[in-house]
């Protein structure tokens, strides 16, 4: 991560319960106009609302021409992305103990 990167760390549930707060975090980061890195390593639950936020953030970043990277995908995130066949869209790669 460089000084020209805005970091966002999402912790706990990324669900309908906190979708509004998460949306605000992502929009605020995109408003910086700098590259955005979203750390998903502490997400312990992801539902369809959380997944929609990721998709919407990706679209918004593309429209604004702001680089957006999701990193550190937790097991919960990987499971949903694989289930929805979206792993390639979010650079979701399983990390094993050997890596």
């Amino acid at each position: 991560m460089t000084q020209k990167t805005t970091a966002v760390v999402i912790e706990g549930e990324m669900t309908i319960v906190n979708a509004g707060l998460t949306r605000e975090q992502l929009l605020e980061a995109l408003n910086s106009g700098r590259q955005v890195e979203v750390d998903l390593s502490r997400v312990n639950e992801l539902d369809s609302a959380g997944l929609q936020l990721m998709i919407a953030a990706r679209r918004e970043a593309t429209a604004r021409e702001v680089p957006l990277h999701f990193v550190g995908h937790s097991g919960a995130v990987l499971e949903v992305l694989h289930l929805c066949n979206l792993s390639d869209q979010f650079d979701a790669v399983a990390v094993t103990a050997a890596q």
Side-chain angles (χ1 to χ4, degrees), residues 5-87:
T5 300
T6 299
V8 177
V9 178
I10 299 177
E11 297 185 44
E13 297 177 3
M14 193 170 171
T15 64
I16 189 70
V17 173
N18 52 20
L21 178 62
T22 304
R23 181 178 179 275
E24 287 178 25
Q25 284 180 287
L26 293 171
L27 284 175
E28 184 177 316
L30 291 173
N31 285 339
S32 72
R34 300 184 299 187
Q35 174 175 288
V36 176
E37 185 175 285
V38 182
D39 183 347
L40 301 172
S41 65
R42 298 178 187 170
V43 174
N44 60 23
E45 184 177 352
L46 176 70
D47 70 2
S48 60
L51 184 57
Q52 288 175 5
L53 284 173
M54 291 174 67
I55 294 168
R58 172 67 47 93
R59 286 186 185 153
E60 189 67 26
T62 299
R64 296 180 186 204
E65 299 181 359
V66 174
L68 171 68
H69 304 284
F70 292 96
V71 299
H73 304 67
S74 69
V77 172
L78 288 173
E79 182 180 342
V80 172
L81 292 177
H82 289 293
L83 182 66
C84 296
N85 200 24
L86 291 171
S87 299

